[in-house]
Structures are given as C-alpha cells and as structure tokens.
Amino acid sequence: AAPVVAVVGRPNVGKSTLFNRIVGERMAIVEDKPGVTRDRLYARAEWLNYDFRVIDTGGLEMGNAPFLTEIRGQVEVAIDEADVIVMVVSGREGLTADDQAVANLLYGADKPVVLAVNKVDNPEMRSDIYDFYSLGLGDPYPVSGSHGIGLGDVLDQVVKNF
Ligand code: GDP
Ligand code: MG
C-alpha cells in the first residue's frame, strides 16, 4: 500500500493550506471513512517517484471537544495511520504552548516527524525558525503554504523516511 503522511498541528497554523499544496488541484479524494464527512481530508499525492497518501488531521471532526482532547485525537490518528508525520507550526505567531502540547504527544510515538514552520513568506523571515529547535523534533523547515515556498525541502525529508 502507498505510504501515509499525516499533517498535524494546532489550529490555524496552515495545515489545510499545506495539505492542498501537497495534494494539488487535480488530485481526487481517494478515501472516505465513516465519521469523516468533510472532503479532502485524505488524498493521494506524489513527490519525485513516490506515490503516497496525505491526511489533514485538522479536518477530523472530534465534536466540540476542548483543544487538548481534540488534538490528542488528531495526533492519535496520525500516529496510528501515518508512516511519516508532518508537524506544522507558524513562524508568524512563533512557538506557543499549544505547539508544545502537540509535540509532547508526538514524543512517545515511534514515527518520524518532519517539522514545517509555515507562514515564512519571505527570506527575511527565515530566522523565525530557530526558536522551534527547542521542540526537539529535529531541523525546522521554513515553508509558505500560501506562497508555495519551501515545500520541496519538506517533501524531500518526508520521502526519505518512507
Ligand atoms: P489550519 O487550521 O491549520 O488548517 O490552517 P489553515 O490552512 O486553515 O490556515 C489558517 C490561516 O492561515 C488562513 O487564514 C490562511 O490563509 C493562513 N495561512 C496559511 N498558510 C499561510 C502562509 O504560508 N502564510 C501566511 N501569511 N498565511 C497563511
Ligand atoms: Mg484546517
């Protein structure tokens, strides 16, 4: 089966924007799961010669659960189903307690994590990534989902872990 990549992170960091970039406009929905009714949570993508599936865990409905319950559920899905996890944070907002909470949930998992610092829209903002080393999830990669910058470097790291 094709490897699975899960996109995780606190709300509003740009998970769905990056997901759409990775998946591209022409990619169709390939999977539908009970309880997952919103479209484009699961899609097929490719990078270099790799075919894989991507999950936007932020779109998984967890009811009106409080943040920690919701993110726990999303990260659980990522850990269960993914071969590689992309954790997204925001270079604009900087490191937050919620980012740390997401990272804490990932530490126990035996899954490779690629750390994408989104909203780094121009080269002057690249220094915003350094704070994220303290998450202990390896090198932070600057990306801009809305401008389509830096995604190739993230995907290179992702496919290296297949
Ligand atoms: P999600 O909640 O993590 O899925 O985040 P979304 O993809 O819905 O994006 C949240 C907000 O951040 C939206 O207003 C996006 O337009 C904005 N956003 C996403 N990516 C970028 C980016 O690379 N740069 C900037 N400046 N804004 C972004
Ligand atoms: Mg989203």
Side-chain angles (χ1 to χ4, degrees), residues 135-151:
L135 287 173
L137 293 169
D139 291 334
Y141 289 87
V143 293
S144 172
S146 41
H147 291 69
I149 301 168
L151 211 58

Side-chain angles (χ1 to χ4, degrees), residues 87 99 102-103 106-107 113-115 132-140:
M87 176 172 167
D99 294 327
V102 174
L106 291 171
Y107 293 148
V113 177
V114 179
L115 180 58
F132 294 99
Y133 272 102
S134 70
L135 287 173
L137 293 169
D139 291 334

Side-chain angles (χ1 to χ4, degrees), residues 40-96:
R40 291 177 73 92
L41 300 187
Y42 291 75
R44 205 167 265 272
E46 51 186 73
W47 181 246
L48 307 176
N49 283 324
Y50 295 94
D51 253 310
F52 53 97
R53 294 181 303 149
V54 192
I55 314 173
D56 178 4
T57 64
L60 297 167
E61 296 283 4
M62 302 281 166
N64 275 334
F67 170 75
L68 252 183
T69 309
E70 174 142 330
I71 203 75
R72 216 172 258 141
Q74 292 171 359
V75 172
E76 205 168 281
V77 169
I79 291 170
D80 284 351
E81 297 191 20
D83 298 287
V84 181
I85 296 169
V86 175
M87 176 172 167
V88 184
V89 294
S90 168
R92 272 182 191 259
E93 283 84 32
L95 184 57
T96 72

Side-chain angles (χ1 to χ4, degrees), residues 102-122:
V102 174
N104 291 347
L105 295 168
L106 291 171
Y107 293 148
D110 197 20
K111 291 286 164 82
V113 177
V114 179
L115 180 58
V117 184
N118 191 38
K119 309 194 186 183
V120 180
D121 296 336
N122 56 65

